[in-house]
Amino acid sequence: AQSVSQHNHHVILSEAASLELGCNYSYGGTVNLFWYVQYPGQHLQLLLKYFSGDPLVKGIKGFEAEFIKSKFSFNLRKPSVQWSDTAEYFCAVNAGRDSSYKLIFGSGTRLLVRP
Amino acid sequence: GAGVSQSPRYKVAKRGQDVALRCDPISGHVSLFWYQQALGQGPEFLTYFQNEAQLDKSGLPSDRFFAERPEGSVSTLKIQRTQQEDSAVYLCASNIGGSINEQFFGPGTRLTVL
């Protein structure tokens, strides 16, 4: 069965620090990869996605992620975090050929950015 | 336009009670998904509709869970004889179809079973 692992459950950073959140998935076939974010009191919303092409994907608010197929990884990065990036971040995958298109989520990483 | 809406936002049920959770997807969205999110966990897939057809219900944890989307728009997730382990946030998402397209999530219904 497909699964997604997020290595860090809680991350605390100071403003302007660099961020990298790990995500690994288990599925040998074609996959689509997503990072969703949930700001306090808000809905889950899409940060970025990868489905083909350039493995370095840029999303909203200065976030980017790199798909490394050989490592089954899709780590999220931001060079300089802001206090407003405080949120919970979820990595998700669906199998590109799975007709149900369901998302398999990791357990999430809570990021706290200190001013 | 309006996003995905869910009602009620909060529901407290006594063990054994039946509950019904509603989802209004974004107008025109073909695909609709239900997920269950337990405390401290990521969302877990429950079921998927394409228009009115329920194409995947592999994630429903037991036969007490039932979902429908009779007219291909609004969907209802029903839980019969609720148990304490059913306490979670139930999320609804919709998209225009296709695995590469963003799923838009609603605010969720927080169910607490006492």
Side-chain angles (χ1 to χ4, degrees), chain A residues 32 34 36 38 43-46 49 51 90 94-96 99-103 105-107, chain B residues 4 33 35 37 40-43 45 48 56 58 91 98-103 105-107:
Chain A
N32 302 314
F34 305 80
Y36 279 83
Q38 188 165 26
H43 308 183
L44 274 169
Q45 57 185 279
L46 184 68
K49 66 180 182 182
F51 57 95
F90 294 93
N94 68 24
S99 62
S100 76
Y101 310 136
K102 64 188 178 188
L103 291 173
F105 284 87
S107 57
Chain B
V4 178
F33 304 81
Y35 294 87
Q37 187 174 18
Q41 300 297 316
F45 171 79
Y48 158 68
D56 188 342
S58 62
L91 297 169
S99 60
I100 66 170
N101 293 308
E102 175 183 359
Q103 292 185 21
F105 283 81

Side-chain angles (χ1 to χ4, degrees), chain A residues 8-74:
Chain A
N8 311 100
H9 297 294
H10 294 90
V11 172
I12 301 174
L13 295 172
S14 298
E15 274 194 316
S18 63
L19 171 71
E20 181 160 1
L21 301 182
C23 173
N24 287 87
Y25 64 93
S26 65
Y27 186 73
T30 302
V31 292
N32 302 314
L33 296 154
F34 305 80
W35 275 96
Y36 279 83
V37 62
Q38 188 165 26
Y39 298 103
Q42 296 189 25
H43 308 183
L44 274 169
Q45 57 185 279
L46 184 68
L47 263 183
L48 47 79
K49 66 180 182 182
Y50 170 82
F51 57 95
S52 67
D54 188 344
L56 185 61
V57 179
K58 295 192 184 298
I60 61 171
K61 304 186 180 185
F63 286 90
E64 64 179 31
E66 185 175 12
F67 170 51
I68 303 179
K69 189 174 182 180
S70 61
K71 294 185 178 180
F72 297 89
S73 70
F74 190 55

Side-chain angles (χ1 to χ4, degrees), chain B residues 20-72:
Chain B
L21 312 180
R22 176 188 170 105
C23 172
D24 283 84
I26 293 172
S27 177
H29 277 192
V30 168
S31 299
L32 185 145
F33 304 81
W34 284 98
Y35 294 87
Q36 180 190 58
Q37 187 174 18
L39 192 64
Q41 300 297 316
E44 291 192 2
F45 171 79
L46 292 177
T47 187
Y48 158 68
F49 290 86
Q50 188 173 62
N51 297 307
E52 69 278 3
Q54 190 175 21
L55 298 186
D56 188 342
K57 54 180 181 179
S58 62
L60 296 176
S62 76
D63 58 8
R64 296 186 295 104
F65 287 71
F66 172 77
E68 60 183 4
R69 193 185 184 198
E71 297 178 358

Side-chain angles (χ1 to χ4, degrees), chain A residues 75-93:
Chain A
N75 291 355
L76 181 71
R77 300 195 293 248
K78 186 171 183 178
S80 175
V81 295
Q82 300 173 315
W83 175 79
S84 58
D85 293 324
T86 293
E88 189 159 18
Y89 294 80
F90 294 93
C91 182
V93 61

